[in-house]
Amino acid sequence: MTTAPGRSPARTLITVAPTGAETAKADVPTLPTTPEELVETAVACEAAGAALIHIHVRDSDHRPTLDPVLLKEAVVAVREATDLVVQLSTGGAVTDPLEQRLTVLDADPDSCSLTCGTTNFGDDVFLNPWGFMVDLYRQAQECEVVPEFELFELGHVHALRRLIDECGLPYGDKVHVDFVMGVPGAMPGTPQTLLAALALLPAEVTSWSATGIGRTHLPIAAAALSAGGHLRVGMEDNLVFAKGQPVTHNKELVSRAAELATIMQRPPMSTEEARELLGVKERRAR
Ligand code: KMH
Ligand code: ZN
């Protein structure tokens, strides 16, 4: 675990979460929801400095879906067009049944999100009961898929401790955590909360990133860089680039994160370095 400024990683992992499940295409027409838009976004974000992509798939009506065929097509298409580490969301939308969320790994991603507990999610509840977490984690170990532990709450940090104690380390022996901060009703997107969460991290954690939702996006990025963390950005988390200036393309957020990281003397890491950092299994066609 790296928190002391003097021990910050030399380079920054930038994750892009381009779509999410919450925003309607009708409200934000620039949101990448079609397969073509997803691939175009992935290519542009890789060029801008991203090394990992967190994917939620939409159907032909632009609605969130966990359709196994569409998930597999997205994984294959992004893998063909880029060298990004391909992470599928197992969180889906708040309306997705747990059983269906347990089928996501059939699409053979490099990585998957794994949220460490139930949380308030705006007006909704994002369900992640203990049994579901264990089933998903064991599946990821069996399929040799690297989990990214998503922590929305301080209690989720404690649940990660319990998960490692009961189930051991992930495939590849690396433990990568992403703090998702500032979701209404979950932990606030403040530097103070980030530092409190870092103090609770299990010693087995080998890397961590953070993202702030909405207006907490930039403060959390700056705090994460200062504290030795990596960055997640993207239209899943933030649709406003600056006051009065909507995000029009995910690459804007990735470019800004890359600039910020470079100013902080921790430029973006390559996809190869990201694979090493996360302990990803080789799945690319040779
Ligand atoms: N859409 C949220 C309910 C994840 O991708 O794993 C869950 C989410 C987390 O976005
Ligand atoms: Zn997500």
Coordinates of all heavy atoms in Angstrom, one line a residue, residues 54 56 89 232 236, ligand 2:
H54 N -13.4 0.9 -17.9 CA -14.5 0.3 -17.1 C -15.8 0.4 -18.0 O -16.3 1.5 -18.2 CB -14.6 1.0 -15.8 CG -15.8 0.7 -15.0 ND1 -15.9 -0.3 -14.1 CD2 -17.0 1.4 -14.9 CE1 -17.1 -0.3 -13.5 NE2 -17.8 0.7 -14.0
H56 N -19.7 -0.3 -19.1 CA -21.1 -0.7 -19.0 C -21.7 -0.7 -20.4 O -21.5 0.3 -21.2 CB -21.9 0.4 -18.2 CG -21.7 0.4 -16.8 ND1 -22.5 0.0 -15.8 CD2 -20.6 0.9 -16.1 CE1 -22.1 0.2 -14.6 NE2 -20.9 0.7 -14.7
S89 N -18.2 -3.9 -15.8 CA -18.9 -3.7 -14.6 C -19.8 -4.9 -14.2 O -20.5 -5.4 -15.1 CB -19.9 -2.5 -14.8 OG -20.8 -2.4 -13.7
R232 N -9.5 7.6 -11.6 CA -10.5 7.1 -12.5 C -11.3 8.4 -12.9 O -11.7 9.2 -12.0 CB -11.4 6.1 -11.8 CG -12.7 5.8 -12.7 CD -13.5 4.7 -12.2 NE -14.9 5.0 -12.1 CZ -15.9 4.2 -11.9 NH1 -15.6 2.9 -11.7 NH2 -17.2 4.6 -11.9
E236 N -19.3 8.4 -16.8 CA -20.1 7.7 -15.8 C -20.1 8.4 -14.5 O -21.1 8.4 -13.8 CB -19.4 6.3 -15.5 CG -20.1 5.5 -14.4 CD -19.8 4.1 -14.3 OE1 -19.2 3.5 -15.2 OE2 -20.1 3.5 -13.2
Ligands
ZN2 ZN -19.6 1.4 -13.2

